[in-house]
Amino acid sequence: MRADRVFAYGAAAGLLGDLFLGDPRRGHPVAVFGRAAAAVERVLWRDHRGWGALHTAVCAGGAVALGALVTRAARTSPAASVVLTGAATWAVVGGTSLAREARGIGRALEAGDVEAARARLPHLCGRDPQALDADGIARAVVESVAENTSDAVVGALVWGAVGGVPGLVGFRAVNTLDAMVGHKSAKYRRYGWASARLDDVMGWPGARLTALLAAAAGSDRRGALRAWRADAARHPSPNAGPVEAAFAGALGVRLGGTLSYGGRIEHRPVLGGDAGRAVALHDIERAVRLSRQVGWLALGVCVAGRLLTGRRAS
């Protein structure tokens, strides 16, 4: 079986597995990788970019090498190759967990239990929940759903289409490293520099595809494209900017503004402009539905692109 068909069948199976099974409660492969990366960090950490780059190379390179080895071992059996691709896709995408956490916070807010919503928010993003009221929590959830649609679903599918199982696990490894050491704290400002920059590079195509598909699937296509064009470059993240701006325009809301991370106050530009309104509670469910649509559309685009390049190569 050709590699393009292996990806098509496996990626579809993996996304369906995520839809119906979600993430395992224990022993998740990403959590296992995180523990291994933390062990490497304990050995290598120095307040130096070079040591951080070595940490990134060891962890991300090891994940890609392992993916390549198991892919080669399964190559003689088309069925095994499809199963492996499906399992890897299921392991690295997180659309169901994203939706579950967002909806859980939404239900807490709907019940008027702001403290419960604050308690759940760290499962979704790194904001300081105590600094947020109900409206601020709802806005944080919508922003996190938008950004993680790219990080947890679309970006993985893009790199799976490009590199198969090594691409899938490599993208998730880099994204996980960025979450662990890529933030601008005193400890990781230099050590996490390589992980953060590599995550920017690998996240670039998935973020643009996510923004484009959000505009296509959203209720206000022109608004999404207008917000993307006008506001994305003002965001401090080169990848979160297009995604959050496109979601803001597609949903007709305003995102961004003053945020608090780890005791650090950030004043970010408003995304969505004058045409958007403040985020309301019901926008959480709208964002989750848009995220789902974008994920399935991304699967179609990535499979079609992989099949097209496979036919040309053959």
Side-chain angles (χ1 to χ4, degrees), residues 251-268:
L251 296 171
V253 300
R254 294 192 304 273
L255 301 177
T258 301
L259 310 174
S260 178
Y261 284 94
R264 198 175 69 249
I265 302 298
E266 295 185 12
H267 300 283
R268 293 186 178 180

Side-chain angles (χ1 to χ4, degrees), residues 4-20 82-90 93 157 160-161 168 295-296 298-300 302-304 307:
D4 54 346
R5 293 181 180 175
V6 168
F7 172 75
Y9 298 146
L15 212 58
L16 285 170
D18 177 64
L19 177 64
F20 291 113
V82 171
V83 169
L84 175 62
T85 302
T89 303
W90 167 76
V93 301
L157 293 173
L168 286 164
W296 287 106
L299 175 66
C302 292
V303 166
L307 289 172

Side-chain angles (χ1 to χ4, degrees), residues 23-287:
D23 291 332
R25 297 296 182 183
R26 295 181 179 180
H28 194 293
V30 176
V32 173
F33 171 81
R35 288 193 292 271
V40 174
E41 179 190 342
R42 286 193 292 271
V43 174
L44 294 181
W45 190 90
R46 307 286 191 283
D47 190 17
H48 190 277
R49 283 186 178 184
W51 286 94
L54 179 60
H55 176 243
T56 303
V58 169
C59 296
V64 171
L66 180 61
L69 284 173
V70 294
T71 297
R72 181 170 185 145
R75 189 174 297 169
T76 56
S77 170
S81 296
V82 171
V83 169
L84 175 62
T85 302
T89 303
W90 167 76
V92 303
V93 301
T96 294
S97 293
L98 174 63
R100 183 187 298 124
E101 291 297 333
R103 284 171 169 155
I105 296 171
R107 285 192 298 270
L109 292 175
E110 189 174 6
D113 194 345
V114 178
E115 286 304 318
R118 286 176 177 150
R120 293 195 68 159
L121 187 63
H123 296 284
L124 191 63
C125 64
R127 307 281 174 84
D128 292 335
Q130 299 305 319
L132 299 173
D133 58 10
D135 292 339
I137 293 172
R139 189 188 73 188
V141 170
V142 172
E143 290 171 353
S144 296
V145 168
E147 184 175 1
N148 283 297
T149 300
S150 176
D151 289 343
V153 182
V154 180
L157 293 173
V158 168
W159 283 99
V162 171
V165 171
L168 286 164
V169 299
F171 175 82
R172 175 54 60 224
V174 170
N175 190 249
T176 303
L177 289 173
D178 179 60
M180 294 177 67
V181 304
H183 40 88
K184 295 180 180 179
S185 65
K187 181 177 181 179
Y188 294 122
R189 188 176 301 275
R190 282 181 281 271
Y191 187 81
W193 179 86
S195 292
R197 298 290 77 76
L198 184 57
D199 183 68
D200 287 343
V201 171
M202 294 195 70
W204 195 96
R208 274 71 192 169
L209 179 58
T210 302
L212 182 63
L213 295 178
S219 57
D220 186 353
R221 296 178 182 177
R222 290 184 179 179
L225 293 173
R226 184 167 55 248
W228 181 4
R229 183 173 57 251
D231 299 333
R234 300 164 58 207
H235 195 285
S237 168
N239 295 329
V243 173
E244 291 185 20
F247 264 71
L251 296 171
V253 300
R254 294 192 304 273
L255 301 177
T258 301
L259 310 174
S260 178
Y261 284 94
R264 198 175 69 249
I265 302 298
E266 295 185 12
H267 300 283
R268 293 186 178 180
V270 174
L271 309 177
D274 297 333
R277 54 171 173 78
V279 173
L281 177 57
H282 72 277
D283 292 316
I284 292 177
E285 180 61 29
R286 294 179 64 220

